[in-house]
Amino acid sequence: MRPTSSAGATARSALAAARAFGVGEVSVAARGPARAGDLLAAAYRLGVKVALSDFGAPPGDSPDLLISTVPAGAAEQYAQRIAGRALLPRC
């Protein structure tokens, strides 16, 4: 499983929960990649590999799971892609 998340405190909690379910690799679309140091440090401690990208340019592959930890409305671009069927789960 390759979840996608963001980089704040809630994202670190989501990362820990994902690790508890056996996830070893995540893609993170961070609104401020330069501020993702705490998330990267937590991932290192948890043994989780992180692929970091800018929130405005999410990874091209559809994630197995999308965990949004951003304020309401901030993920509108993802909602539009999902509604347009451009971001669908892989089967």
Side-chain angles (χ1 to χ4, degrees):
M1 181 183 294
R2 193 179 48 78
T4 300
S5 184
S6 62
T10 306
R12 292 191 302 275
S13 297
L15 179 69
R19 183 65 186 121
F21 282 103
V23 172
E25 181 178 345
V26 299
S27 298
V28 175
R31 290 183 293 158
R35 300 180 307 177
D38 288 342
L39 178 79
L40 295 173
Y44 177 79
R45 287 190 303 273
L46 292 166
V48 176
K49 181 179 176 184
V50 173
L52 188 62
S53 67
D54 185 79
F55 189 77
D61 292 341
S62 295
D64 298 314
L65 173 67
L66 176 64
I67 302 171
S68 177
T69 63
V70 297
E76 186 64 27
Q77 65 177 332
Y78 290 102
Q80 290 173 1
R81 289 180 66 196
I82 291 168
R85 302 183 65 80
L87 186 63
L88 295 175
R90 292 183 303 243
C91 296

